[in-house]
Amino acid sequence: MTRTWLGGAANEPDHPFGVSTLPYGVVVTGGQPQPAVRIGDSALLLRPATEALLPEHAGLFAGGNLDAFLAAGHDSWVDVRTAVTGWLTDDAHRELLEPLLIPLAGLPAVLPFSVADYVDFYASEHHARNVGQIFRPDSDSLLPNWKHLPVGYHGRAGTVVVSGADVRRPRGQRKGAEGVEFGPSKSLDIEAEVGFVVGVGSSQGRPAPITDFTRHVFGVVLLNDWSARDIQAWEYVPLGPFLGKSFATSISAWITPLAALETARAPAVPREPAPLPYLDDTGDSWNLDLSIEVRLNGELISRPPFAAMYWTGAQMMAHMTVNGASLRTGDLFGSGTVSGPERDQRGSLLELSWGGSQPFTLSDGFARSYLADGDEVVMTATAPGPEGARIGIAEVRGRITSALDGTG
Ligand code: CA
C-alpha cells in the first residue's frame, strides 16, 4: 500500500482517508474559508501548497470554495491529484507541507461548493418496491415507467446544508383523521443517498452521454434527503415531492473524486427490459461498490449496499440531459434512497418501520418509527481501494431540533 510521511492513522490500511482517497473540501482557518484536501484526520491547505509547488494551478484555490477547481475540468483534476499524491508520499516535501496541515478535530465544516441545481432520483429497485408496497399495497409495487428510465424530480438547491448543520423539524399540512391539519411533522425521516457533484457543465440542447460521465462529474458525497412523510403524502399528487423534502438536504463536507473510485466500480445489476441506447452502459458501468452505514444516536440501524442500485450515476446524468437540459458547475444529483434486499439494508425509517407499523427500539428503550427531536443521524461509507486500502466517503451528520411554535 502506498504510504504517506504523515504519522498517525493515515497509514493504517483500513483508514478511509489514506493517500488513496484524498477528498476535497473547505476548512476555515483564521476566519477565512480555504480549499483543502483531506489526508487522514488532517487537512492540507491547497492555496499555499499549490503556490509553492504547482503555481500554474494556484489560481484554482484562491477563492473560498472549490467552484473554480470543479469548473477547471478533468485534466486539471488529474494534475492536482497526481501532484498532491506525490507531495504526501515523498519525504522531500515534508518540511514545506507540514506547516500547511491542520488537524480536523474541532474545525467547523463548510459547504465545499456553490450548489447550482439539485436533482433527486429514485434509483433503488428495493427502495421503490418497498415504498410501493407500503403506500399502494393493492397494486403493482413498481410503476410502469420505472425500469425504462431513472425516475427523478428537481429539488431545492438553496437548502442543501453541510454535514453537522442542525435540521429544524418542518411544519406543514397533513391529512388527519378529522380533516386537514397543520403543525410540526409527525413522521420526519431520513433517506440514505449518494450525491454526485458536477464539475464541468454542458451546453443546452446537447445531451451529455454516459461515456462523458467522468468529463462532467467530479466526485461523490453522502446525502441525507430529510423527508417529512406526512407532509409528502398529502401534497405529492400529482406533481411529486415539494415541501416534504425541500426544507433541508445534508451532504458531506468532503467530495471524494471519481478518480479515487476506479477500484470500486462494479458490474451493473441485471436489467430487464434492456435500457434504451442512451442508457445502455454495457461494458462501461459506473455502478459503485459503496458500503453505507447509517447510525441513529450512535447505533448502527442499517447497512445499505450501493452496488444493489438499478441505475448508475452515469445513467442519471445521461437521462437528465437527454432532452437538451444542460449541466452547470455545482449541480448536485442524488441517487435516491439506497436500500438492499435485506431488512437491515433499508435506507429510510419509512422502510425500517414499514410505514410506522413496525416500530423499532434503540438501546435507550424508546420505540420509534420516525425521528424524535434531538435525534442525530450519521451516515458513512467506504469502498474497496487499491492494494487492500479502503476509500472513504466523508460522513454526513445532522441533528433534529424542535419545530417553531405556533400554527400560522
Ligand atoms: Ca430522496
Side-chain angles (χ1 to χ4, degrees):
M1 207 182 86
T2 313
R3 295 179 67 82
T4 163
W5 42 258
L6 268 81
N11 279 323
E12 290 170 11
D14 62 346
H15 196 293
F17 300 104
V19 78
S20 302
T21 305
L22 301 179
Y24 296 88
V26 171
V27 295
V28 179
T29 62
Q32 295 290 321
Q34 286 204 51
V37 65
R38 178 172 179 175
I39 174 71
D41 300 312
S42 300
L44 174 68
L45 299 177
L46 283 169
R47 184 169 60 195
T50 50
E51 281 172 355
L53 297 170
L54 195 66
E56 64 271 31
H57 286 317
L60 301 179
F61 305 106
N65 59 38
L66 297 172
D67 293 0
F69 179 51
L70 292 179
H74 189 263
D75 289 352
S76 297
W77 305 340
V78 171
D79 288 351
V80 172
R81 183 171 167 82
T82 303
V84 170
T85 305
W87 302 342
L88 292 170
T89 52
D90 183 347
D91 216 42
H93 298 298
R94 182 173 188 158
E95 193 177 342
L96 177 77
L97 294 177
E98 251 176 353
L100 307 181
L101 283 161
I102 298 179
L104 287 176
L107 275 188
V110 183
L111 203 57
F113 63 102
S114 306
V115 181
D117 288 302
Y118 168 46
V119 166
D120 197 33
F121 285 94
Y122 192 54
S124 160
E125 180 175 357
H126 302 291
H127 174 69
R129 285 195 183 279
N130 287 341
V131 171
Q133 286 170 33
I134 293 166
F135 284 130
R136 303 183 304 275
D138 300 324
S139 55
D140 206 348
S141 59
L142 280 192
L143 291 168
N145 59 5
W146 201 88
K147 290 205 164 181
H148 294 271
L149 53 83
V151 170
Y153 73 99
H154 283 91
R156 193 167 192 85
T159 54
V160 175
V161 298
V162 73
S163 175
D166 286 347
V167 172
R168 185 182 292 283
R169 179 178 298 274
R171 303 184 306 166
Q173 289 193 24
R174 64 172 159 266
K175 190 177 178 201
E178 308 292 316
V180 177
E181 301 172 353
F182 181 92
S185 171
K186 294 178 175 175
S187 44
L188 183 54
D189 200 355
I190 60 170
E191 290 191 337
E193 304 194 16
V194 172
F196 295 88
V197 179
V198 171
V200 175
S202 64
S203 303
Q204 197 167 359
R206 294 181 66 89
I210 281 180
T211 47
D212 281 356
F213 184 57
T214 58
R215 197 167 83 75
H216 293 291
V217 170
F218 173 76
V220 302
V221 291
L222 287 171
L223 185 153
N224 187 348
D225 185 29
W226 307 95
S227 299
R229 301 301 181 191
D230 43 0
I231 297 171
Q232 181 185 353
W234 171 232
E235 73 178 0
Y236 87 107
V237 178
L239 289 185
F242 190 43
L243 304 181
K245 302 272 192 177
S246 64
F247 54 95
T249 305
S250 299
I251 62 169
S252 310
W254 299 88
I255 310 171
T256 296
L258 287 184
L261 294 170
E262 277 290 341
T263 49
R265 292 178 68 172
V269 301
R271 300 193 190 99
E272 178 61 40
L276 287 175
Y278 78 92
L279 292 170
D280 182 3
D281 62 352
T282 306
D284 190 28
S285 166
W286 269 96
N287 193 9
L288 291 170
D289 181 15
L290 309 179
S291 301
I292 303 171
E293 295 189 341
V294 182
R295 286 180 173 76
L296 174 54
N297 297 338
E299 284 183 46
L300 183 65
I301 58 168
S302 182
R303 301 189 66 178
F306 194 66
M309 298 296 274
Y310 194 87
W311 301 107
T312 71
Q315 291 172 312
M316 295 173 208
M317 183 200 74
H319 183 64
M320 71 185 194
T321 60
V322 75
N323 65 344
S326 49
L327 300 169
R328 288 194 292 178
T329 297
D331 280 358
L332 171 70
F333 57 99
S335 62
T337 307
V338 183
S339 290
E342 307 299 328
R343 188 185 185 288
D344 62 359
Q345 296 178 328
R346 298 172 184 166
S348 69
L349 303 185
L350 171 75
E351 295 163 90
L352 286 165
S353 69
W354 208 252
S357 67
Q358 300 169 18
F360 54 95
T361 307
L362 299 182
S363 61
D364 60 9
F366 178 28
R368 74 193 76 203
S369 297
Y370 295 103
L371 295 171
D373 289 350
D375 278 352
E376 185 177 61
V377 178
V378 179
M379 300 173 185
T380 55
T382 59
E387 303 172 63
R390 283 203 313 164
I391 304 296
I393 317 294
E395 70 171 27
V396 60
R397 175 186 297 268
R399 193 174 65 90
I400 302 302
T401 60
S402 57
L404 290 172
D405 293 333
T407 57

